[in-house]
Amino acid sequence: MLWTDKYSPKKISEVVGNSESLVELEEFIFNYKAQKKNSIFIYGPTGSGKTCAVHSIANENNLEVLEINASDVRNKAGINEVIGGSIHQASLFSKGKIILIDEVDGLSGTKDRGGVKALCSLIAESSFPIVLTANDPWSSKLSPLRKKSKLIELEKLSYIEIFNSLDNICKLENISVEDNVLKRLSILSGGDLRAAINDLQTVSSNKSEIIMEDLDILGDRQKEEEVITALNLIFKGKQDSVFYALNRIDMNLDESLLWIEENLPQVYKGQDLGKAFSALSTADLFRGRIRRQQHWRFLVYQNAFMTGGVSFAKSNKPESFFAYKRSSRILKLWIAKMKYGKRNAVAEKLADHGHTSKRRALQTFQYLKTALKNDDALLNNLDIDRADIEKIV
Amino acid sequence: MWTERFRPKEFEEVRGQEKIIPRLKSFVKQDNMPHIMFTGPAGVGKTTLALIMAKKIFGDDWTYNFLELNASDERGIDVIRNKVKDFARTKSIKNVNFKIIYLDECDSLTKEAQQALRRTMENYSNTCRFILSCNYSSKIIDPIQSRCSVFRFSPLSLENVGEFVDHIAEKEGLKVDENSKKAIYEISEGDARRVANILQSCASVNKEITEPLIYEIVSAARPKEIVEVLGLSVSGDFIKARDLLLNTMLKHGLSGLDVIKQIQKEVVSFEVDNARKLEMIEKCGEIEFRMVEGSDEFVQLEALLANFCKS
């Protein structure tokens, strides 16, 4: 049995992450009649729990789920055939029903012609809550649906949330595994819990122990080969096609940027390295603007500076073969966050005491730490444990 | 903590802001004030004066009528919509007919939060006045600035810092000579909070404060590794330089801006010819600017180090 099924949540409280949005969803389904809008539109990345949340609410409350997803024909006739009649009929065996239109961003322009329109009239007439899901709700073809629906976002799950879920499954399956291995798996999943659980099942393959080497068999290897090809194109070539180097790999630009950043200093030296990093810095500048202004058009420029910018920075072609490495920076950041949590706790106390922010208290801490080390009265006064200070100074 | 023990409690004890204080005092006298914005560097008395005003206006009940929020810790729109609004819409329980919300480090509020704040300031101006404080007024949207009377704080002078040091020395029984005062002034960059912290750290070692002691304390505050990072990157060992930088940042909890400020200081006294030195400083400025606009501080720092390499 697939673990993703075996351990799929039976209750909404078991769904991982995004608790606020999930409460909103529950609220919508229960108080459906009182809502201004007839449908709710859940969007978020793959494996963040969209479909899962709907099914678990249904399961917990004995509701029937009427689902059409991308595997069904979703033109006008198709939609009406599956759902059309039932929007007014009470369910035979359950208390009520939820109509789930999964993956609406997958509506095909030609094959599912009229689909959006059919859905809209369905929403207008339905006496049951309609839930739409999508990874990307912002395409213009979906705009009529967006207008008719309440939008909620499920965010990518954090490494820690994924880590905890995996850890839990390992305990239930009696698999012994080191934290490091699970951390690695959680990070590899890129916030997709379904993928993480599938990976875990793949590497465990009926063994009672998982070690780091087991992770090698994961499909990620194929992804890495693609990355290596792209990096070679950028680092070694200089042709115009380099601008498309990253389009061919199935990886988001942020992750590609980490790969380039990690391996660049192996290949480029001296002034070339300076120029190439300046290009990466410009790429990051555009990324910052995308984040802040949600101006996704800038992705084009981020991409151009990561590929062409880096590629054209070199004065001559590097000859030799390089063994590219995966970036370990994010992992290090994460470990440090765990390790130096104490420092944040101390900074919080300093901030409370000193009418200042935690951020500034951290800077203050640098100047005050000699006093904190030597002066017990001060520690008492701030209610800080000596042991905590010893650990961080 | 000495920053709190020696925080001025009267207008007269605040140093270096002689132009501002009379106007604040007149607000207190009238029991009325407009929305106010304090702008200026850290540690020059913005929070202190806000606290003094609140205590003078509300007397013993000041804590009920005064909300202090730190925008850099709580900078989302939710804080403005919830905490600030909840406090603002209830009436003051004193004969003064308004409450005060002190919003510190406003420059780290997001743009949306600032927009939300703007309406709140108008809608509740009957029951609530705002004192906003920030380092750079340019980061505050115009509609907010136009609703406030703006007070610009100046950094403390050598004389101001000297007086403050004398005051602490007298109360705590320290001995501080003139050269040490100068050193403290230079290191503190006119930030009174830092002055108090340096003194407290020094005093925990020795009541007699000397220049070498001060520099010892301060070097503990500024990790030596940064100089090493600088040396490695200039000599072209980029990979070692960035590994050391990352580990140092994680170990000491430094932000990208902390690091770049320190690198810039170290460059000034670094052994290179003058033209090159200027180039390096220019690069620092460029990268510091980009850091504010970009999203990954470390990539920006890497760009800086890579450009320090000579050959």
Side-chain angles (χ1 to χ4, degrees):
Chain A
M1 188 181 187
L2 275 180
W3 286 358
T4 45
D5 292 330
K6 188 170 174 186
Y7 296 105
S8 78
K10 306 288 177 292
K11 290 191 246 163
I12 189 76
S13 56
E14 292 169 10
V15 178
V16 177
N18 287 303
S19 46
E20 279 174 33
S21 306
L22 293 180
V23 170
E24 251 184 278
L25 173 67
E26 227 184 344
E27 163 86 18
F28 176 86
I29 289 176
F30 290 150
N31 298 322
Y32 167 63
K33 295 271 188 270
Q35 302 288 332
K36 282 195 204 108
K37 299 196 165 165
N38 277 352
S39 57
I40 191 162
F41 195 155
I42 318 177
Y43 65 97
T46 317
S48 54
K50 299 183 293 296
T51 312
C52 204
V54 176
H55 281 289
S56 61
I57 290 178
N59 184 53
E60 189 176 358
N61 299 290
N62 189 22
L63 304 170
E64 182 189 351
V65 178
L66 202 61
E67 174 175 340
I68 35 179
N69 53 41
S71 68
D72 305 305
V73 179
R74 298 193 287 187
N75 55 20
K76 191 173 173 194
I79 287 171
N80 285 338
E81 188 186 324
V82 182
I83 302 184
S86 58
I87 53 173
H88 298 304
Q89 297 156 359
S91 172
L92 207 49
F93 303 107
S94 324
K95 285 192 293 187
K97 55 184 148 188
I98 303 175
I99 297 169
L100 173 62
I101 320 283
D102 220 359
E103 301 152 15
V104 284
D105 45 356
L107 279 174
S108 154
T110 49
K111 295 286 164 50
D112 296 340
R113 193 176 294 278
V116 171
K117 218 172 154 196
L119 285 177
C120 283
S121 52
L122 209 63
I123 290 172
E125 291 165 26
S126 174
S127 7
F128 299 103
I130 296 185
V131 183
L132 309 159
T133 75
N135 295 126
D136 170 19
W138 303 116
S139 85
S140 60
K141 70 177 181 205
L142 297 180
S143 102
L145 292 174
R146 281 201 305 272
K147 276 185 207 144
K148 287 203 178 338
S149 311
K150 180 183 166 80
L151 288 171
I152 56 173
E153 182 182 9
L154 295 191
E155 280 172 14
K156 194 159 101 173
L157 298 177
S158 72
Y159 303 132
I160 297 172
E161 285 163 336
I162 291 185
F163 176 89
N164 290 338
S165 303
L166 296 185
D167 192 39
N168 202 13
I169 293 177
C170 287
K171 284 197 185 107
L172 293 168
E173 292 283 333
N174 274 325
I175 295 171
S176 86
V177 56
E178 275 180 42
D179 277 3
N180 270 339
V181 178
L182 281 192
K183 269 178 204 166
R184 186 101 195 113
L185 261 178
S186 323
I187 287 170
L188 283 176
S189 75
D192 180 344
L193 182 57
R194 187 190 306 119
I197 295 176
N198 279 333
D199 283 353
L200 181 67
Q201 186 167 21
T202 311
V203 293
S204 77
S205 56
N206 299 325
K207 289 188 301 182
S208 60
E209 188 182 7
I210 306 175
I211 54 172
M212 203 51 114
E213 280 68 43
D214 292 332
L215 303 194
D216 289 347
I217 61 166
L218 288 180
D220 204 62
R221 226 173 9 175
Q222 194 200 340
K223 207 167 161 186
E224 289 197 8
E225 259 164 42
E226 287 173 354
V227 179
I228 288 165
T229 317
L231 289 182
N232 276 332
L233 201 63
I234 295 171
F235 291 158
K236 296 186 176 168
K238 229 177 178 180
Q239 52 288 59
D240 286 348
S241 61
V242 74
F243 284 113
Y244 306 106
L246 296 173
N247 293 5
R248 287 177 222 150
I249 55 175
D250 178 23
M251 179 185 278
N252 68 33
L253 275 188
D254 293 357
E255 197 180 344
S256 310
L257 197 141
L258 286 174
W259 275 92
I260 296 173
E261 175 220 336
E262 173 71 31
N263 294 296
L264 188 53
Q266 267 200 78
V267 188
Y268 288 22
K269 300 286 172 220
Q271 288 192 344
D272 289 0
L273 185 66
K275 277 191 209 154
F277 260 114
S278 293
L280 274 193
S281 147
T282 308
D284 178 61
L285 207 59
F286 281 108
R287 181 164 61 166
R289 291 172 184 159
I290 295 171
R291 293 246 165 110
R292 244 158 258 140
Q293 301 162 19
Q294 298 289 305
H295 196 86
W296 293 95
R297 163 82 195 146
F298 286 159
L299 272 179
V300 177
Y301 301 103
Q302 186 189 340
N303 193 343
F305 278 96
M306 282 166 62
T307 53
V310 171
S311 182
F312 304 156
K314 58 181 167 285
S315 40
N316 40 29
K317 196 177 166 209
E319 294 294 338
S320 51
F321 168 81
F322 300 101
Y324 298 126
K325 279 184 301 192
R326 170 184 285 282
S327 169
S328 57
R329 180 152 65 90
I330 304 300
L331 186 65
K332 277 188 191 162
L333 280 176
W334 194 48
I335 293 169
K337 210 170 158 188
M338 303 273 200
K339 194 169 161 195
Y340 296 113
K342 285 265 184 299
R343 183 171 49 209
N344 277 325
V346 170
E348 218 160 286
K349 284 186 178 151
L350 285 177
D352 274 357
H353 247 260
H355 296 281
T356 180
S357 65
K358 223 167 82 183
R359 185 177 62 89
R360 193 155 287 155
L362 262 174
Q363 294 164 357
T364 299
F365 175 75
Q366 303 298 334
Y367 290 96
L368 199 61
K369 65 185 181 190
T370 313
L372 288 169
K373 211 162 53 183
N374 297 335
D375 188 346
D376 280 314
L378 176 66
L379 287 183
N380 277 339
N381 179 300
L382 293 171
D383 190 25
I384 296 175
D385 242 10
R386 167 149 293 276
D388 288 354
I389 291 291
E390 300 286 341
K391 258 183 220 144
I392 52 182
V393 173
Chain B
M1 207 163 37
W2 287 8
T3 48
E4 293 315 301
R5 187 179 303 168
F6 296 104
R7 189 186 285 282
K9 302 199 171 41
E10 298 293 333
F11 282 119
E12 288 70 21
E13 296 169 19
V14 179
R15 293 168 185 81
Q17 313 303 343
E18 286 77 13
K19 282 187 194 138
I20 294 172
I21 289 170
R23 291 189 53 199
L24 298 183
K25 273 170 118 172
S26 78
F27 292 147
V28 172
K29 211 170 159 198
Q30 297 158 15
D31 267 348
N32 197 4
M33 58 176 254
H35 296 311
I36 294 177
M37 185 153 111
F38 289 162
T39 130
V44 296
K46 298 188 296 295
T47 307
T48 301
L49 281 172
L51 290 169
I52 293 177
M53 281 183 73
K55 286 177 195 169
K56 296 281 171 198
I57 291 177
F58 301 121
D60 289 342
D61 302 332
W62 71 279
T63 46
Y64 301 107
N65 296 312
F66 183 80
L67 176 69
E68 178 181 355
L69 282 177
N70 221 300
S72 93
D73 289 344
E74 316 172 76
R75 59 186 176 177
I77 189 164
D78 292 346
V79 178
I80 300 296
R81 285 189 179 153
N82 302 327
K83 275 195 184 174
V84 170
K85 253 172 114 174
D86 284 346
F87 184 82
R89 63 177 152 216
T90 53
K91 275 198 148 175
S92 144
I93 55 164
K94 193 72 180 154
N95 45 0
V96 185
N97 56 13
F98 60 88
K99 296 171 153 186
I100 297 179
I101 294 183
Y102 178 61
L103 208 51
D104 201 0
E105 295 186 44
C106 275
D107 23 16
S108 43
L109 280 177
T110 59
K111 289 274 178 292
E112 297 107 62
Q114 292 193 26
Q115 293 292 355
L117 181 62
R118 154 192 183 182
R119 293 298 299 158
T120 314
M121 288 174 77
E122 264 171 1
N123 291 346
Y124 300 105
S125 63
N126 276 335
T127 48
C128 188
R129 299 298 144 75
F130 284 82
I131 304 179
L132 310 176
S133 130
C134 63
N135 295 132
Y136 304 102
S137 60
S138 57
K139 287 195 189 162
I140 308 292
I141 58 173
D142 284 342
I144 289 188
Q145 294 204 40
S146 85
R147 285 170 175 75
C148 298
S149 54
V150 179
F151 293 90
R152 295 188 195 283
F153 284 59
S154 18
L156 302 185
S157 64
L158 172 59
E159 207 191 340
N160 297 144
V161 170
E163 284 168 19
F164 187 46
V165 171
D166 286 340
H167 174 67
I168 296 180
E170 190 197 333
K171 298 272 183 207
E172 297 289 334
L174 310 178
K175 255 174 90 180
V176 190
D177 59 32
E178 284 305 312
N179 280 340
S180 304
K181 275 186 217 165
K182 236 180 233 155
I184 291 174
Y185 169 70
E186 258 154 42
I187 294 159
S188 72
E189 297 167 45
D191 175 346
R193 183 180 293 123
R194 204 179 288 174
V195 172
N197 283 329
I198 294 170
L199 279 177
Q200 186 168 15
S201 274
C202 289
S204 76
V205 179
N206 195 336
K207 296 266 180 197
E208 201 160 316
I209 290 168
T210 57
E211 254 187 285
L213 175 59
I214 293 167
Y215 282 111
E216 194 190 311
I217 298 293
V218 173
S219 71
R222 290 189 192 153
K224 294 184 278 300
E225 290 95 327
I226 297 290
V227 193
E228 217 175 307
V229 168
L230 194 56
L232 282 169
S233 52
V234 169
S235 64
D237 199 342
F238 177 83
I239 296 183
K240 256 194 195 154
R242 84 162 170 192
D243 285 349
L244 181 61
L245 177 65
L246 180 61
N247 290 336
T248 309
M249 286 175 73
L250 295 178
K251 192 170 144 213
H252 296 275
L254 301 174
S255 74
L257 281 176
D258 295 338
V259 171
I260 207 158
K261 277 184 194 160
Q262 209 181 318
I263 288 182
Q264 183 265 320
K265 272 182 208 150
E266 302 292 354
V267 167
V268 172
S269 49
F270 199 70
E271 288 284 320
V272 280
D273 64 81
N274 288 340
R276 178 91 191 111
K277 194 176 276 187
L278 267 182
E279 274 172 35
M280 288 168 79
I281 293 175
E282 186 187 352
K283 200 72 207 166
C284 286
E286 174 64 23
I287 293 292
E288 187 171 336
F289 173 71
R290 287 177 164 226
M291 206 176 266
V292 178
E293 281 269 299
S295 74
D296 188 332
E297 297 183 327
F298 199 72
V299 170
Q300 298 298 349
L301 287 175
E302 281 175 301
L304 182 68
L305 298 186
N307 276 290
F308 280 169
C309 174
K310 268 181 296 192
S311 50

